[in-house]
């Protein structure tokens, strides 16, 4: 990772200002002088590694966000396939068929998804547009976690242009195409 002092400094200044605190207040909170904070913000020096956790805490961010100057950086953890995401959603449907739609294990699995996503996933089992929305969401969550999907795989497997373009947009956002 290449650390750019100027970007780090700009990020610290932006975060500090967004919290409405002065350089002096920030310095006091993390145990350094306001002159140190000023040097960081001008890109002359970087914060010492020992103050980074406190700095991130006060600025309500992560150390990565500070050191990357606010830029999103993804370390690719692997590749996913659209077909696997489709199969994953189909497995939920199949679980209801195998266990029974009133089985407590199935009901709690569905209830958890519905509650966590503020939706009704069972509607996807009979409506291919809704189904594709869930497949798209599964892919987007994996992209956010650092996984890669091939753009041709997206184009080949999505029927609805809306979801195809949405997933491609996220893939571009997370620098995976």
């Amino acid at each position: 990772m290449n650390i750019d002092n100027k970007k780090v400094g700009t990020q610290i200044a932006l975060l500090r200002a967004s919290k409405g605190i002065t350089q002096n207040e920030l310095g006091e909170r993390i145990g350094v002088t306001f002159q140190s904070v000023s040097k960081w913000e001008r890109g002359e020096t970087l914060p010492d590694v020992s103050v980074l956790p406190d700095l991130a805490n006060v600025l309500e961010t992560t150390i990565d966000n500070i050191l990357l100057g606010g830029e999103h950086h993804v370390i690719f953890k692997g590749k996913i396939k659209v077909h696997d995401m489709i199969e994953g959603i189909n497995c939920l449907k199949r679980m209801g068929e195998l266990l029974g739609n009133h089985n407590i294990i199935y009901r709690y699995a569905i209830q958890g998804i519905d509650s966590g996503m503020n939706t009704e996933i069972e509607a996807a089992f009979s409506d291919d547009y809704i189904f594709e929305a869930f497949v798209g969401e599964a892919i987007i969550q994996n992209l956010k976690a650092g996984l890669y999907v091939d753009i041709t795989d997206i184009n080949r497997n999505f029927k609805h242009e809306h979801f195809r373009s949405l997933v491609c947009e996220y893939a571009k956002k997370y620098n995976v195409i």
Side-chain angles (χ1 to χ4, degrees), residues 8 24 31-32 39 60 65 70-72 75 77 86 98-99 112 114 122 130 135 154 160 169:
V8 171
N24 193 46
V32 300
K39 286 181 180 182
E60 298 178 5
N65 187 41
E71 293 179 1
H72 184 75
I75 298 171
K77 298 176 183 171
I86 292 169
L98 293 171
L99 296 175
D114 290 352
E122 286 178 306
I130 297 171
V135 171
I154 295 169
H160 302 340
E169 182 180 314

Side-chain angles (χ1 to χ4, degrees), residues 23-25 27-28 32-39:
Q23 289 179 342
N24 193 46
E25 290 170 326
E28 286 176 0
V32 300
T33 65
F34 77 89
Q35 291 96 335
S36 292
V37 175
S38 178
K39 286 181 180 182

